[in-house]
């Protein structure tokens, strides 16, 4: 089996275990996200900017909640897959305004925007701010052409010492977990 594929399976299982543990006390989970994750993101981003996140699937850290909190002072957006590329569309934070997109992931129909900050999903991250995604390369392709602060959002248990990196893998600027800022790329 491909090493990245094995690592994806392992990290997905670890994430599920962490998520299940937090779901035993949802009040603690959302307090940690509000006090540590959201506040860390707010401390890193400019005021009144456009923040793109992702629609939370399965056991990912709850970016929908994060975006709803950020929408109080920022414009928020979600990705939309157009062909083989990601674009970002403004989201009013209402579930009812979303439609099923590629892969069955809900997408907004709002205006296309260029975010100053992108919150990226991941299965794992390392000390050098590289992320292991789901294997489609959508975020790496988007990051090549996007002048934005790239922030991974994950559980602290998704951190590994070093990920296998290929030439097309784009590093993040920061990774923020339920415990706060976890990794910072060297030039920040």
């Amino acid at each position: 089996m491909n090493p990245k594929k094995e690592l994806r399976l392992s990290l997905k299982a670890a994430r599920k275990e962490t998520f299940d543990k937090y779901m035993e006390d949802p009040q603690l989970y959302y307090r940690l996200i509000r006090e540590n994750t959201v506040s860390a993101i707010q401390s890193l981003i400019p005021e009144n900017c456009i923040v793109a996140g992702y629609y939370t699937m399965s056991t990912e850290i709850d970016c929908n909640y994060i975006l709803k909190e950020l929408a109080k002072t920022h414009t928020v957006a979600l990705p939309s897959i157009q062909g083989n590329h990601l674009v970002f569309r403004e989201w009013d934070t209402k579930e009812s305004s979303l439609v099923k997109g590629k892969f069955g992931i809900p997408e907004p129909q709002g205006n296309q925007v260029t975010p100053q900050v992108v919150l990226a999903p991941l299965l794992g991250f390392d000390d050098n701010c590289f992320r292991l995604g789901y294997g489609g390369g959508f975020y790496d392709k988007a990051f090549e052409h996007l002048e934005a602060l790239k922030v991974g959002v994950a559980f602290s248990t998704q951190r590994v010492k070093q990920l296998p990196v290929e030439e097309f893998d784009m590093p993040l600027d920061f990774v923020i977990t339920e415990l706060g800022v976890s990794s910072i790329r060297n030039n920040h």
Side-chain angles (χ1 to χ4, degrees), residues 23 29 38 45-46 61 63 73 79 98 104-105 124 126 129 138 174 183:
M23 287 303 97
Y29 172 68
V38 173
I45 64 177
I61 200 162
C63 194
T73 54
L98 300 171
I105 300 170
D126 69 15
C129 279
F138 290 102
F174 298 93
S183 289

Side-chain angles (χ1 to χ4, degrees), residues 86-99:
L86 281 185
V87 297
F88 297 94
R89 297 192 179 280
E90 198 169 336
W91 182 40
D92 62 9
T93 71
K94 295 180 181 137
E95 299 289 324
S96 62
S97 67
L98 300 171
V99 296

